[in-house]
Amino acid sequence: MSEAPHLTFDLDKPGMSSGYLVVPRGADCEALSLPVFSLNKGEGPRLLITGGCHGDELEGPIVARRLVKWLPEAQTCGRIVIAPVLNPPAVKACSRNTPIDGLNLNRVFPGRRDGSVTERIADAVSHILLPCADTVFDLHSFGLNWDFPPSSTTHPIVDPDLMAKTLQMAEAFKLPMTLVWEHPGSPGMFDTLAQSQGKVFVCAEFGGGTVSFDAIAIYEAGLRNALIALGLVEGKPEYPTFRQQKVIQTLETRRSSDELKSPGRGIFEPRCSVLDEVNQGDVIGALYPMDSLTANAIDIRAPGTSIVYAIRSGAYVDADEGVALIARPLIR
Amino acid sequence: MSEAPHLTFDLDKPGMSSGYLVVPRGADCEALSLPVFSLNKGEGPRLLITGGCHGDELEGPIVARRLVKWLPEAQTCGRIVIAPVLNPPAVKACSRNTPIDGLNLNRVFPGRRDGSVTERIADAVSHILLPCADTVFDLHSFGLNWDFPPSSTTHPIVDPDLMAKTLQMAEAFKLPMTLVWEHPGSPGMFDTLAQSQGKVFVCAEFGGGTVSFDAIAIYEAGLRNALIALGLVEGKPEYPTFRQQKVIQTLETRRSSDELKSPGRGIFEPRCSVLDEVNQGDVIGALYPMDSLTANAIDIRAPGTSIVYAIRSGAYVDADEGVALIARPLIR
């Protein structure tokens, strides 16, 4: 019989405590000890902050680690539990999926106790960390290969009350962008599991490209704004400036029609920047065949009036690979 | 006996022509055909532009491809030969080294005709493309994992005349930064080979992070400035703006003492931005152990008054991995 996942300390203990979430060993690897921090100031909201689900998105772990430093001085009530790195093997390999079993942690929730390592992590998080919170902030980013504005995101939720509460929470980050992202219903996502239990779950998609000092400052400000909105921390929200612009917008995107794909193999050249407004037919990027200098580039055009939300870094891409994501103002 | 590398067309033909540099097949892979473009307008400088030496640095191939589009209208004399992608297998794999033999193309010059594929590419470039030029621009970048300003770079050259001519050419790009970079003498570099033949060789290190629309525009402007300085193209130079700053500086850096290394394994957090001025003891970054939330971060500090030239993206790093590069104004 498999060992049970467990915490090495008591989350209900008042004050600050830290220890580990132990993910039991399996056939594929030894037990993992994920560092967990808890600050319990009694009555109030119960928040779980997770980072490092994907190993190539390090904004989350860095900002979570910074929170651990200043929260003890700042938090006034409630309980915040922080697990900065959910997937240490993926972070060490700088890879989206866990290198040991090749699985995407955000597609295997609620996990399996007798599964492979990624499924065992999901099982431990689902059964030990998730029950301790009524609100979850899961810190992601778009990784190094995309340009993407700092955003809080959510997906359409069937329950209108939970949708409204979730959107309000996402907007409380006061990041440049809040995005309602229609997914094609990928199974096994952490947010779907949390929402099925009635919890408010906000995914922070903390930008793309270099994990820089400036970017981290924006993300930290966004997280602090959300803590203020929850009443866990006192203070005034700050509106972070992104590339010399103060923009705050709530947009929506549909995964099917708003993700622009590469029409073939070749070198993708971005021809616009994130947050650019485009009209039908405007060129968003171009694709060069790598083996010919005489063949023309193929233009990739906007299907309609929209805002360029994310754009792929210039790179060699395969046919049907995503190269841009467009969005429009949310109609409420 | 090995087949000889060759061009499928005659570079001496007047006007515009294009074809391939054929790298013969070997035991490890089939023959490669590298697209080559030539524009011969008679008397004048003979320039070779190469890109895609490292497969994770796509600014070069994209800007080179853009040049092919507008040069026919703009070039007034001389001959420009462009090979946008020297290493197609590395570009397809988005990897610095060639995936087939694991070699770094910029460490195997002049190559070997009977060697592995990377050595055969170097041999073909050394014997077919290099002799056709007296000036070489090799378009590199720092890749996705670093933040780095758009720069033209060179290394210290023993011959003072060639050093002066090379530095003048590098500064003619009018990019935000010109860098004289003291290398520890890595063997097999393309620039060392070209310089040993008395050629002016400038390496464009076209930034780091996302290969974005804005970045490509800066790089293209720099290359156009250099073509104007060579007298190949008419026009006035433009001074590209980098992150809302117009800066032009020539700096020098020593590989040994100016490359700051990680003191251990952990998550690196950048604590400053490129072009920041720092003094001795200023914190440039911090290293968090990933397996503990109670252990303090280790600060990585500036060894002296300097300018932060390059900084690593936040990521999990190994001990002794480079995390920042500092520089100082060049003393002439």
Side-chain angles (χ1 to χ4, degrees):
Chain A
M1 191 185 140
S2 310
E3 190 193 347
H6 59 277
L7 274 170
T8 61
F9 68 109
D10 181 7
L11 287 182
D12 291 330
K13 212 177 89 180
M16 187 169 75
S17 38
S18 76
Y20 296 93
L21 172 65
V22 177
V23 178
R25 69 184 293 274
D28 54 356
C29 83
E30 288 305 304
L32 298 175
S33 294
L34 316 184
V36 176
F37 165 92
S38 169
L39 188 52
N40 187 358
K41 295 238 172 154
E43 289 298 302
R46 301 191 315 154
L47 173 67
L48 169 64
I49 299 176
T50 51
C53 171
H54 296 133
D56 54 350
E57 303 172 5
L58 271 282
E59 289 88 347
I62 290 172
V63 173
R65 195 55 160 78
R66 292 180 65 94
L67 274 194
V68 167
K69 198 91 182 165
W70 58 257
L71 262 187
E73 300 271 306
Q75 187 183 327
T76 55
C77 68
R79 188 177 69 188
I80 304 179
V81 173
I82 303 179
V85 177
L86 290 187
N87 194 344
V91 168
K92 283 182 187 170
C94 191
S95 69
R96 181 172 176 83
N97 292 3
T98 318
I100 299 161
D101 56 13
L103 294 178
N104 177 343
L105 176 55
N106 204 21
R107 295 294 181 278
V108 300
F109 278 91
R112 290 196 308 152
R113 187 174 296 183
D114 59 352
S116 66
V117 61
T118 311
E119 295 170 312
R120 295 199 304 279
I121 293 173
D123 174 72
V125 172
S126 305
H127 292 97
I128 311 288
L129 294 185
L130 188 55
C132 78
D134 32 50
T135 302
V136 182
F137 297 159
D138 191 25
L139 311 182
H140 283 257
S141 73
F142 246 55
L144 298 168
N145 296 314
W146 285 80
D147 202 8
F148 190 91
S151 309
S152 51
T153 69
T154 179
H155 305 302
I157 302 167
V158 176
D159 174 352
D161 286 348
L162 189 58
M163 178 79 247
K165 277 163 70 181
T166 302
L167 188 57
Q168 192 182 8
M169 189 73 254
E171 290 179 327
F173 278 72
K174 302 190 190 305
L175 285 171
M177 294 281 147
T178 301
L179 185 66
V180 179
W181 194 339
E182 189 195 62
H183 255 263
S186 310
M189 292 183 72
F190 190 18
D191 58 349
T192 314
L193 174 68
Q195 286 155 0
S196 74
Q197 298 174 8
K199 298 177 197 290
V200 170
F201 187 105
V202 174
C203 191
E205 286 283 358
F206 278 168
T210 315
V211 183
S212 67
F213 174 70
D214 299 345
I216 291 168
I218 295 178
Y219 312 151
E220 190 171 11
L223 207 45
R224 187 174 165 276
N225 290 341
L227 297 179
I228 292 168
L230 271 173
L232 287 162
V233 161
E234 286 180 353
K236 275 196 188 163
E238 280 172 47
Y239 293 75
T241 301
F242 174 61
R243 296 182 190 164
Q244 277 69 37
Q245 292 179 60
K246 279 206 184 192
V247 276
I248 298 222
Q249 270 191 288
T250 301
L251 304 179
E252 64 182 333
T253 187
R254 284 185 289 274
R255 195 83 186 242
S256 47
S257 54
D258 289 338
E259 191 179 349
L260 307 187
K261 306 282 184 96
S262 171
R265 286 184 177 186
I267 294 178
F268 173 70
E269 178 194 330
R271 287 271 178 89
C272 61
S273 304
V274 289
L275 308 192
D276 279 358
E277 290 182 32
V278 289
N279 294 311
Q280 188 181 356
D282 286 351
V283 176
I284 283 180
L287 188 76
Y288 295 112
M290 192 158 73
D291 54 0
S292 167
L293 288 174
T294 47
N296 280 330
I298 302 168
D299 290 335
I300 300 163
R301 293 174 185 275
T305 299
S306 47
I307 292 165
V308 177
Y309 204 94
I311 192 152
R312 185 82 162 73
S313 194
Y316 183 80
V317 294
D318 268 324
D320 219 33
E321 209 173 302
V323 291
L325 185 69
I326 55 171
R328 288 158 308 282
L330 176 70
I331 297 160
R332 294 176 203 246
Chain B
M1 192 185 140
S2 310
E3 192 194 346
H6 59 276
L7 274 170
T8 61
F9 67 109
D10 181 9
L11 287 182
D12 290 328
K13 212 177 91 180
M16 187 170 75
S17 37
S18 76
Y20 297 92
L21 171 65
V22 177
V23 178
R25 69 184 295 273
D28 54 356
C29 83
E30 288 304 304
L32 299 176
S33 294
L34 316 184
V36 176
F37 165 92
S38 169
L39 188 52
N40 186 358
K41 295 240 174 155
E43 289 299 303
R46 300 190 317 153
L47 173 67
L48 170 65
I49 300 176
T50 51
C53 170
H54 296 133
D56 55 350
E57 303 172 4
L58 271 280
E59 289 88 346
I62 291 171
V63 173
R65 195 54 161 81
R66 292 179 65 92
L67 274 194
V68 167
K69 199 90 182 163
W70 58 256
L71 262 186
E73 299 271 307
Q75 187 182 327
T76 56
C77 67
R79 188 177 68 190
I80 304 180
V81 173
I82 303 180
V85 176
L86 291 187
N87 195 344
V91 168
K92 283 181 186 169
C94 191
S95 69
R96 180 172 176 83
N97 292 3
T98 318
I100 300 162
D101 57 13
L103 294 178
N104 178 342
L105 175 55
N106 204 20
R107 295 295 182 277
V108 301
F109 277 91
R112 290 196 308 151
R113 187 172 297 184
D114 59 352
S116 66
V117 61
T118 312
E119 294 169 313
R120 294 199 303 278
I121 294 173
D123 174 71
V125 173
S126 305
H127 292 97
I128 311 286
L129 295 185
L130 188 57
C132 78
D134 32 52
T135 302
V136 182
F137 298 158
D138 191 26
L139 312 182
H140 283 257
S141 73
F142 246 54
L144 298 168
N145 296 312
W146 285 81
D147 201 7
F148 190 90
S151 309
S152 50
T153 70
T154 178
H155 305 303
I157 302 167
V158 176
D159 174 353
D161 285 348
L162 189 59
M163 178 79 247
K165 277 164 68 183
T166 303
L167 188 57
Q168 193 182 5
M169 190 72 254
E171 289 178 329
F173 278 72
K174 304 193 188 305
L175 285 171
M177 295 282 147
T178 302
L179 184 66
V180 179
W181 193 341
E182 190 195 61
H183 254 262
S186 310
M189 292 182 71
F190 191 18
D191 59 349
T192 315
L193 174 67
Q195 285 154 359
S196 73
Q197 299 174 7
K199 297 176 198 291
V200 169
F201 187 107
V202 174
C203 190
E205 287 284 356
F206 278 167
T210 315
V211 183
S212 67
F213 174 70
D214 299 345
I216 290 167
I218 295 179
Y219 312 154
E220 189 172 11
L223 207 45
R224 187 172 165 276
N225 291 340
L227 297 179
I228 292 169
L230 272 173
L232 288 161
V233 161
E234 285 179 355
K236 274 193 187 168
E238 280 171 47
Y239 293 75
T241 301
F242 175 61
R243 294 181 192 164
Q244 277 68 34
Q245 290 179 60
K246 279 206 183 193
V247 278
I248 297 222
Q249 268 192 290
T250 302
L251 304 179
E252 65 183 332
T253 187
R254 285 184 288 273
R255 196 85 187 239
S256 47
S257 54
D258 289 338
E259 192 179 349
L260 308 187
K261 306 282 185 97
S262 171
R265 285 184 180 188
I267 294 178
F268 173 70
E269 178 193 330
R271 287 271 178 89
C272 61
S273 303
V274 288
L275 308 191
D276 279 358
E277 290 183 33
V278 289
N279 294 312
Q280 188 180 357
D282 286 351
V283 176
I284 283 180
L287 188 77
Y288 296 112
M290 193 159 71
D291 54 2
S292 168
L293 289 174
T294 48
N296 280 329
I298 302 168
D299 289 335
I300 300 164
R301 292 174 186 277
T305 300
S306 47
I307 293 164
V308 176
Y309 204 93
I311 193 151
R312 185 84 161 72
S313 193
Y316 182 80
V317 294
D318 268 324
D320 219 31
E321 208 173 302
V323 291
L325 185 68
I326 56 170
R328 288 158 307 284
L330 176 69
I331 297 161
R332 293 176 204 244

